[in-house]
Amino acid sequence: MGKKLISLLLAALLCVSLFAGCSNTKNDDVKDDGQNGTKTEDSKGSDSAEEAVELVYYTIGTPPADLDKVTAKLSEMTMEKINAKVKLVFIDWGDYGSKITAIINSGEEYDIAFAAGPDQGNFLGNSKKGAFAPLDELLEEYGQGILEVVHPAFWEGLTIDGKIYGIPTKGMDIAAPNCWMYPKELVDKYDIDIDSIKTFEDLEPWLEKLSKEEPEWQLMDLDQDSHFAPGYEYLIDSVPAVIAKGDDSLTVKNLYEEDSTVELLNTLRKYYKAGYINQDAAIKPPSGLVKGEKVFWKQAQGGPGADNIWSKDRGYPIISSQVEEAYISTSSTREAVVCISSNSKHKEKAMEFLNLLNTDSDVRNTLGYGIEGEHYELVDGKVRFLEASSNYAVPNYSLGNLSLVYLKEDDPDDLREQVDKINESAVESTMLGFTPDLEPIKNEIAAITNVNKEFRPALMTGSVDIEENLAKFNAKLKEAGLDKVIETLQSQLNEWKANK
Amino acid sequence: MWTRFKKNFGLTAIALPGLIWFILFSYLPLIGIVIAFKDYKISGGFFESLLSSKWVGFDNFKFMFATNDARIMVRNTLLYNMLFIVINIVVPLFIAIMISELLNKRGAKAYQTMIFFPYFLSWVVISYFVWAFLSPDKGLVNRLLVAMGADGISWYSEKKYWPFLLTFFNTWKNLGYNIVIYLAAIVGIDKTYYEAASLDGASKWQQIKHITLPQLRSLVAVLFLLAIGKVFNSDFGLFYQVPRNSGALFPVTQTVDTYVYRTFRVIGDIGMSSAAAALQSIVGLVFILVANYIIRKIDRESALF
């Protein structure tokens, strides 16, 4: 099956690369016809400034029903402003990682793509592989607006081997801290002081009480991807080599040999046995919040305004409290970025468009909310969703400067100020800007990734006996080469620190 | 040569669609094997990138032998496949003969259709069926166990059950398809053999043993050879979807395909994944050649080539 799949894929790639050239020029012709009314046979394929180009933009999210309408409207705006059209393609959450990887590796032509962690476009890996274009000069020339609005810490994190490869879309919202969310109904009923709950231990008395009195609520909702490492920062996702937050000596450690981790796992085990954690946690595929599902506790990254989004998703009021201080790390700067393809023929236009997304309120809000008067209307400068809004419901964090986005009706007026406050109070990682070179430890990472998948879901959901399995896990991590990885990362970190 | 080709043009033309399919989907993609020996970096289109990437020799293959996990996945892949090959020959053969001996032809058709049905289900769908039975809190089996006073079993974290479960699901799904092949062959056996045998007083069992089975020998050999060529590949859906990607089951569900998928879904190194696929093909080829050689020694007629 795997081989067939790969060969099919390769065949598809071949076809795509064979036909890619012709189809693109054809598209340009058609656009030319429509927009300028003159068919320029001789300029076929060339990219003169007058010719309207179509930017292909891949982003993450469930494809909305009214996508065509909104892209048409958007293109109308961008034609006027930068003489370019936009072809927006949404790829659903679960598929984005694998589809964008195939698009990139096949050498398909596109202009802009969303990228984040390894499962969502792999910003780091693809930048290193040469899939994305370095942006320094483009930013200087066409992206002044972006440079103005983006928090400077971002550029440190998004620089890989001396070049900037991505533009953050979270805008000012750099340090989304971990939050724990609860249903307002229960919090009010039992008068729970959620701000005082910071650790799993703090949670225990409430879990105990609610398990007796509210049996129809699922107390804790965990899934295959759940993992907790409060106080630690990962160097590579899926590899448990971490440094403690605030550690100036930058000592790399194995997360699963830390006492606090063992303690945490034991607590989770206790909760699982007591029935607080869903029984299928270790095999439950990760998903968004399910509407109407009665869950007492869940962790998510949030910040000001997040409660409203969660309430909308859940279908009942949610309130949350921040359990960790806001923290700016290399990986937090890379949580949502857009990149320009190194294969793009219209890199300048792409940058101009991204500049619009960060500076032009009309373009930004059309992309984020749809067409004014159809999907939403403005009431006192805030967005009220109209009935058709469900036909264009897209994530906003992944699209560009959030400070341009209109507030929603139920957002607090001072939302932006709250965000600024968090950003100012955020602690910067001691290794902000460090990017590990994975080349010498490629085989080890491949092996560790698998070991991690084998043990982590069961351990981090408390589904198995901790003592026995943790020992096995550590033994297998060592066998897979974790020591070598830690050593290599340590020497890279030392070198980075010395040159800083 | 040309005249012979001309004479057989009609028949050759029938093969054309298949030929085109093979060229497009089996021969052209062979170029991709090159990727396995390169450090694939992107610079322009696919071919451009392919040409400009650095040669790295066998570096991409190393990860498959780097750890103990590699041994486990190779062991699982080979053992499961061997088991499946044997079961998928013996069980369908047995049932096909039973169905062919049924006097009630309408009944035979009904059984055959019922057995064939699961073949058309995708593993994803089956994985949900299985979930309905084995889910830890709401599964049918556990509810039954609890109702009878026993403890529920957390099926998705107990690895000892899964070699049996996986074998069962695989047999259940593929049974119908294999039965059809054997039934077609049994129908094709000359009826006069049986008439002669029954005139001489041979019992049903003797007829099966001395007529049906020997007549089916070539077919079994061909099916065996085709199966053994895929001995290093595994049915991805069976090993990934049905156990719901449960980490606790990796020691018995990890195969080459799932290992490659799990690793590169995250890392996305096309060179290393190509290396794995190339290795699978090469091992398959070696197995086919050896098996064919042995069969040719025993019975020239039954060998593939």
Side-chain angles (χ1 to χ4, degrees):
Chain A
M1 165 99 191
K3 194 188 78 186
K4 246 190 220 156
L5 227 147
I6 290 169
S7 42
L8 265 173
L9 205 85
L10 282 168
L13 306 190
L14 273 168
C15 299
V16 168
S17 50
L18 282 175
F19 298 123
C22 353
S23 64
N24 267 2
T25 35
K26 235 184 252 158
N27 277 347
D28 284 353
D29 273 356
V30 175
K31 259 170 281 146
D32 238 19
D33 262 331
Q35 291 306 325
N36 301 339
T38 51
K39 191 168 173 155
T40 43
E41 196 74 63
D42 46 348
S43 70
K44 198 194 248 177
S46 77
D47 191 23
S48 62
E50 283 75 35
E51 213 174 328
V53 298
E54 185 176 58
L55 299 169
V56 179
Y57 179 2
Y58 286 105
T59 191
I60 196 166
T62 310
D66 278 355
L67 181 62
D68 288 347
K69 260 193 216 166
V70 175
T71 12
K73 175 83 182 166
L74 201 64
S75 292
E76 210 176 281
M77 292 170 150
T78 52
M79 268 312 289
E80 203 176 288
K81 285 173 179 154
I82 56 168
N83 193 30
K85 290 174 136 197
V86 182
K87 186 180 172 217
L88 196 57
V89 185
F90 280 91
I91 302 176
D92 220 333
W93 297 99
D95 298 337
Y96 190 79
S98 46
K99 285 207 177 147
I100 202 75
T101 306
I103 288 165
I104 287 169
N105 282 328
S106 67
E108 186 184 322
E109 260 181 50
Y110 66 94
D111 301 287
I112 305 170
F114 170 79
D119 258 359
Q120 295 182 344
N122 201 351
F123 170 72
L124 172 60
N126 282 322
S127 299
K128 287 217 149 205
K129 207 161 34 172
F132 299 140
L135 302 177
D136 304 65
E137 284 146 34
L138 289 168
L139 271 170
E140 205 53 52
E141 199 166 336
Y142 301 99
Q144 281 300 332
I146 301 175
L147 292 174
E148 262 165 48
V149 296
V150 169
H151 191 294
F154 271 114
W155 302 123
E156 259 185 81
L158 294 172
T159 302
I160 295 170
D161 302 333
K163 296 254 195 261
I164 295 171
Y165 282 96
I167 295 166
T169 58
K170 284 164 79 187
M172 311 304 291
D173 200 5
I174 182 166
N178 273 331
C179 294
W180 287 2
M181 59 170 105
Y182 312 88
K184 192 163 183 303
E185 183 191 336
L186 290 189
V187 172
D188 289 349
K189 187 169 167 191
Y190 293 93
D191 198 18
I192 304 171
D193 177 15
I194 58 168
D195 289 319
S196 72
I197 302 175
K198 300 279 181 210
T199 65
F200 285 114
E201 281 79 15
D202 298 340
L203 210 53
E204 187 163 15
W206 298 110
L207 292 172
E208 214 179 318
K209 190 176 168 106
L210 290 171
S211 70
K212 289 191 197 93
E213 297 187 21
E214 302 285 343
E216 76 274 25
W217 287 78
Q218 176 59 51
L219 294 177
M220 297 173 83
D221 183 29
L222 300 183
D223 60 47
Q224 275 184 335
D225 272 5
S226 300
H227 59 287
F228 312 96
Y232 293 97
E233 186 183 343
Y234 280 87
L235 282 116
I236 311 166
D237 291 307
S238 82
V239 174
V242 295
I243 67 162
K245 284 181 179 174
D247 177 7
D248 285 317
S249 69
L250 299 178
T251 315
V252 188
K253 298 172 190 162
N254 173 3
L255 176 69
Y256 294 101
E257 281 177 351
E258 295 294 290
D259 291 339
S260 63
T261 308
V262 179
E263 216 170 285
L264 178 108
L265 293 179
N266 278 317
T267 310
L268 287 170
R269 176 67 180 155
K270 190 163 73 187
Y271 293 175
Y272 181 86
K273 274 187 173 161
Y276 305 155
I277 296 172
N278 48 322
Q279 279 201 21
D280 62 348
I283 41 171
K284 186 180 176 187
S287 69
L289 298 179
V290 177
K291 203 162 205 152
E293 204 176 47
K294 289 182 145 190
V295 173
F296 171 64
W297 172 96
K298 195 168 171 80
Q299 172 168 303
Q301 274 193 329
D307 287 4
N308 285 329
I309 301 172
W310 292 332
S311 302
K312 204 177 148 198
D313 288 347
R314 271 289 191 226
Y316 53 79
I318 293 280
I319 51 174
S320 66
S321 80
Q322 191 180 325
V323 290
E324 273 173 37
E325 60 188 358
Y327 190 76
I328 302 177
S329 66
T330 309
S331 63
S332 79
T333 64
R334 294 175 182 169
E335 264 159 11
V337 288
V338 280
C339 304
I340 295 180
S341 161
S342 58
N343 271 345
S344 163
K345 292 221 166 68
H346 322 292
K347 295 195 182 74
E348 295 81 11
K349 275 279 175 260
M351 182 56 83
E352 281 182 56
F353 173 68
L354 293 178
N355 198 40
L356 274 187
L357 279 187
N358 281 281
T359 53
D360 190 306
S361 161
D362 290 343
V363 173
R364 180 65 188 85
N365 282 298
T366 306
L367 185 60
Y369 289 126
I371 299 164
E372 186 174 355
E374 184 169 347
H375 298 111
Y376 72 98
E377 59 184 5
L378 280 180
V379 182
D380 303 331
K382 283 184 168 183
V383 168
R384 173 182 291 164
F385 290 106
L386 299 175
E387 212 173 304
S389 71
S390 58
N391 293 333
Y392 190 78
V394 300
N396 249 321
Y397 82 98
S398 54
L399 293 172
N401 189 355
L402 280 177
S403 51
L404 283 179
V405 176
Y406 298 136
L407 293 183
K408 287 183 277 270
E409 216 173 4
D410 41 7
D411 280 337
D413 287 327
D414 63 344
L415 184 74
R416 300 280 166 244
E417 287 76 32
Q418 285 183 37
V419 173
D420 288 343
K421 222 169 90 192
I422 288 190
N423 286 338
E424 270 156 40
S425 74
V427 183
E428 272 191 27
S429 160
T430 43
M431 53 172 185
L432 178 62
F434 169 71
T435 303
D437 175 17
L438 307 183
E439 204 53 39
I441 41 177
K442 222 159 84 170
N443 292 329
E444 284 76 15
I445 293 173
I448 292 171
T449 304
N450 252 292
V451 175
N452 203 41
K453 284 239 159 116
E454 181 176 344
F455 286 94
R456 196 192 71 191
L459 284 171
M460 278 289 183
T461 53
S463 310
V464 290
D465 181 63
I466 301 300
E467 206 176 318
E468 182 195 338
N469 286 283
L470 191 61
K472 263 197 223 159
F473 187 19
N474 275 321
K476 280 199 104 173
L477 282 172
K478 286 221 161 63
E479 197 188 315
L482 184 64
D483 289 338
K484 185 185 166 191
V485 171
I486 289 178
E487 220 171 90
T488 312
L489 291 172
Q490 188 69 67
S491 71
Q492 287 181 8
L493 261 176
N494 292 346
E495 197 182 318
W496 173 81
K497 201 176 157 198
N499 293 332
K500 200 179 162 190
Chain B
M1 168 81 193
W2 179 243
T3 45
R4 246 180 84 190
F5 176 74
K6 247 176 150 173
K7 208 175 98 197
N8 293 326
F9 180 76
L11 288 174
T12 319
I14 295 174
L16 203 62
L19 199 68
I20 292 174
W21 192 92
F22 269 110
I23 289 174
L24 274 181
F25 294 105
S26 289
Y27 285 94
L28 269 183
L30 277 177
I31 304 169
I33 286 189
V34 177
I35 300 173
F37 301 95
K38 290 211 162 201
D39 179 17
Y40 188 76
K41 291 256 189 292
I42 289 158
S43 50
F46 177 68
F47 285 108
E48 259 175 283
S49 310
L50 194 60
L51 288 175
S52 59
S53 295
K54 238 182 22 241
W55 290 97
V56 292
F58 284 93
D59 272 8
N60 285 330
F61 289 85
K62 279 187 188 148
F63 83 98
M64 301 209 19
F65 307 98
T67 60
N68 213 8
D69 276 349
R71 221 184 57 221
I72 289 174
M73 77 187 178
V74 169
R75 178 201 73 189
N76 284 349
T77 314
L78 291 179
L79 284 184
Y80 274 121
N81 271 323
M82 305 273 189
L83 186 65
F84 290 173
I85 288 173
V86 174
I87 289 181
N88 284 341
I89 286 175
V90 175
V91 178
L93 189 59
F94 181 72
I95 298 180
I97 292 173
M98 288 207 306
I99 290 183
S100 72
E101 297 293 342
L102 277 177
L103 288 176
N104 180 352
K105 286 300 157 200
R106 190 174 290 197
K109 265 270 158 316
Y111 300 141
Q112 197 190 329
T113 312
M114 276 195 285
I115 297 172
F116 207 176
F117 179 69
Y119 181 76
F120 296 103
L121 296 174
S122 93
W123 281 121
V124 180
V125 174
I126 294 175
S127 85
Y128 282 96
F129 286 167
V130 175
W131 177 245
F133 280 97
L134 301 184
S135 123
D137 42 355
K138 301 181 194 81
L140 263 173
V141 178
N142 273 6
R143 290 217 159 166
L144 214 67
L145 285 175
V146 172
M148 293 190 312
D151 280 337
I153 297 167
S154 50
W155 293 96
Y156 288 88
S157 50
E158 294 275 0
K159 62 185 183 206
K160 61 183 176 218
Y161 303 113
W162 283 84
F164 303 102
L165 287 171
L166 291 174
T167 312
F168 172 75
F169 296 136
N170 183 64
T171 313
W172 172 70
K173 186 174 192 282
N174 293 314
L175 191 58
Y177 182 78
N178 293 316
I179 286 178
V180 168
I181 296 176
Y182 288 117
L183 269 181
I186 291 171
V187 170
I189 298 172
D190 199 337
K191 289 280 170 292
T192 50
Y193 290 138
Y194 294 102
E195 281 163 23
S198 55
L199 277 180
D200 287 342
S203 67
K204 263 271 162 315
W205 170 239
Q206 282 167 327
Q207 287 180 28
I208 290 170
K209 197 170 150 200
H210 296 290
I211 303 173
T212 315
L213 287 177
Q215 290 282 327
L216 290 176
R217 195 166 64 173
S218 296
L219 180 68
V220 170
V222 169
L223 288 176
F224 172 73
L225 278 174
L226 290 178
I228 206 128
K230 295 201 178 104
V231 77
F232 213 52
N233 298 48
S234 60
D235 196 339
F236 180 77
L238 174 65
F239 292 99
Y240 187 84
Q241 304 288 3
V242 177
R244 295 181 83 85
N245 192 16
S246 167
L249 302 178
F250 281 9
V252 293
T253 59
Q254 188 83 281
T255 61
V256 176
D257 297 84
T258 58
Y259 187 81
V260 168
Y261 179 80
R262 288 197 178 100
T263 309
F264 298 111
R265 214 175 85 94
V266 178
I267 299 179
D269 189 318
I270 187 175
M272 285 155 94
S273 20
S274 301
L279 190 69
Q280 287 183 314
S281 307
I282 292 161
V283 173
L285 180 69
V286 171
F287 267 83
I288 256 197
L289 289 177
V290 171
N292 191 62
Y293 176 79
I294 295 170
I295 289 180
R296 208 173 46 200
K297 283 272 162 217
I298 301 168
D299 174 17
R300 248 201 107 69
E301 296 266 291
S302 300
L304 262 188
F305 45 84

